Amino acid sequence: MITQTTSVDARILGLLLPYHRTTGPASADPQDHPEQLDQIRTFTERGEPVLFTLPGFPCKSPNPEKVLGHLPDEGERLSLSFLDGLCARIGEIYAPGARMVICSDGHIFADQIKVSDADIDAYGDELRALIRQEGLQHLETFDLRQVHGDLPHEEKRRLVTEAYAPPLDALRAQTRTDEETARLYRGITRFLVEDTPAGHAGSRSALQRECRARAYEVIARSRAWGELIADHFPRSVRLSIHPQPMGAGKFGIRLLDSVDAWATPWHSVVVRGPWPGARLMRRVEAEGVGRLVWRGERPSHYVVG
């Protein structure tokens, strides 16, 4: 027999399922996602607002062929509005509502993704300003400043890595035996190669070797960040911007449409056209099909037609 609480859990999850970003078979049946139902139930059983945590929104790619600059633009604005809207829709079917914590992880990776800590701070500050300006009342932010205060960034990275990151040797071994880890490793390696600006000194093969080595460190720190979030938010519905297999403890969520399942607003630009909604493309591709639109004093997105 399905209880009323279970029905509410399934209805809440049902609002997320159309945006599920997965690496394998998908299902629109909430019962095929028991991990997420259990996570939601920890809140509905107590009549509390459902808490979502989403690691992401780290900083813009350092490659100008992919993005318009180092600050948030239309991609972040639309993505944040989408997430806030999801929480609002949950509030329409579940009175206590929902809130979402954006766990910005840029500082964890700064030295590995070749982005300055100053640019990451500027991105995070603008992200919070954007949330205020747009009146996104269901969203909160969380980053290393709330964990280790004003310590030097290198010290913060060291503390988190030492406390939570898996050994790199164990990670390399897992990449050889676990397909999901191997897929993530390949995806992160590709991002690191693509994020390298044109004019990089050295051969292509040397760059790929370097990026493969850095990919292990990025994955280790990503897991460390996830464990830190779990410590700070021991009860939450865990979301991910990376594709996740059905049945995983994290639910992969698609923020905006893209032909690339790994595309994010911080690796792309928004393009609007005769199609419904907005799509993500590399900047060099968007320049070939649309015209640049400015919002205030900053470039924002592209429009076709």
Side-chain angles (χ1 to χ4, degrees):
M1 179 177 179
I2 297 178
T3 66
Q4 181 62 34
T5 300
T6 302
S7 175
V8 170
D9 302 334
R11 290 173 66 195
I12 291 171
L13 182 55
L15 294 176
L16 274 68
L17 287 174
Y19 312 103
H20 190 200
R21 175 181 274 184
T22 183
T23 57
S27 172
D29 185 349
Q31 302 305 321
D32 288 332
H33 303 267
E35 287 282 344
Q36 283 69 48
L37 285 176
D38 286 346
Q39 291 169 9
I40 293 169
R41 191 172 297 117
T42 65
F43 296 98
T44 58
E45 285 182 339
R46 304 183 186 195
E48 298 173 349
V50 178
L51 173 65
F52 296 92
T53 50
L54 176 61
F57 294 86
C59 57
K60 287 292 194 181
S61 164
N63 189 346
E65 293 185 356
K66 298 179 72 174
V67 296
L68 286 166
H70 71 282
L71 296 176
D73 53 35
E74 186 74 351
E76 280 82 2
R77 190 183 74 83
L78 292 176
S79 297
L80 292 171
S81 295
F82 161 71
L83 294 170
D84 188 75
L86 270 182
C87 292
R89 289 168 63 194
I90 291 171
E92 294 172 0
I93 63 172
Y94 174 62
R99 61 191 181 97
M100 187 170 302
V101 182
I102 307 297
C103 303
S104 298
D105 48 6
H107 285 301
I108 289 289
F109 311 113
D111 57 329
Q112 297 298 314
I113 61 176
K114 310 299 184 184
V115 176
S116 73
D117 287 303
D119 279 356
I120 292 171
D121 276 337
Y123 178 93
D125 291 342
E126 284 296 316
L127 201 70
R128 283 181 281 276
L130 186 58
I131 289 171
R132 292 192 300 270
Q133 291 163 10
E134 296 292 316
L136 307 180
Q137 299 179 359
H138 304 91
L139 304 186
E140 306 168 25
T141 60
F142 176 82
D143 63 23
L144 270 183
R145 285 178 282 194
Q146 290 154 274
V147 181
H148 291 303
D150 295 328
L151 286 176
H153 293 296
E154 286 293 342
E155 180 70 2
K156 293 178 186 178
R157 281 189 279 273
R158 184 187 65 78
L159 290 171
V160 174
T161 300
E162 289 182 355
Y164 296 104
L168 293 182
D169 286 345
L171 192 56
R172 291 188 184 96
Q174 187 176 23
T175 304
R176 292 191 292 269
T177 59
D178 179 70
E179 179 54 34
E180 288 301 323
T181 304
R183 183 181 289 113
L184 178 61
Y185 168 72
R186 292 191 295 268
I188 296 298
T189 300
R190 176 168 68 90
F191 270 132
L192 293 174
V193 171
E194 291 179 352
D195 277 5
T196 303
H200 171 78
S203 68
R204 178 78 173 179
S205 60
L207 174 63
Q208 289 175 331
R209 285 194 301 272
E210 177 196 333
C211 289
R212 284 195 291 268
R214 282 195 280 140
Y216 285 117
E217 188 69 47
V218 169
I219 295 171
R221 295 190 193 184
S222 176
R223 292 190 178 179
W225 186 236
E227 292 299 318
L228 183 148
I229 291 170
D231 270 0
H232 281 259
F233 304 96
R235 286 193 304 125
S236 74
V237 183
R238 303 178 66 188
L239 304 180
S240 173
I241 53 91
H242 294 141
Q244 300 288 329
M246 192 169 64
K250 291 184 179 181
F251 184 91
I253 191 164
R254 172 173 49 83
L255 303 178
L256 294 171
D257 284 335
S258 173
V259 296
D260 183 353
W262 290 81
T264 68
W266 43 94
H267 286 99
S268 317
V269 298
V270 162
V271 179
R272 292 187 176 276
W275 51 79
R279 294 182 182 174
L280 292 173
M281 294 185 189
R282 289 166 56 95
R283 178 185 180 178
V284 291
E285 296 168 351
E287 287 177 338
V289 298
R291 59 180 175 82
L292 180 61
V293 175
W294 291 64
R295 182 182 288 271
E297 298 181 350
R298 295 210 303 264
S300 173
H301 62 285
Y302 290 84
V303 171
V304 176

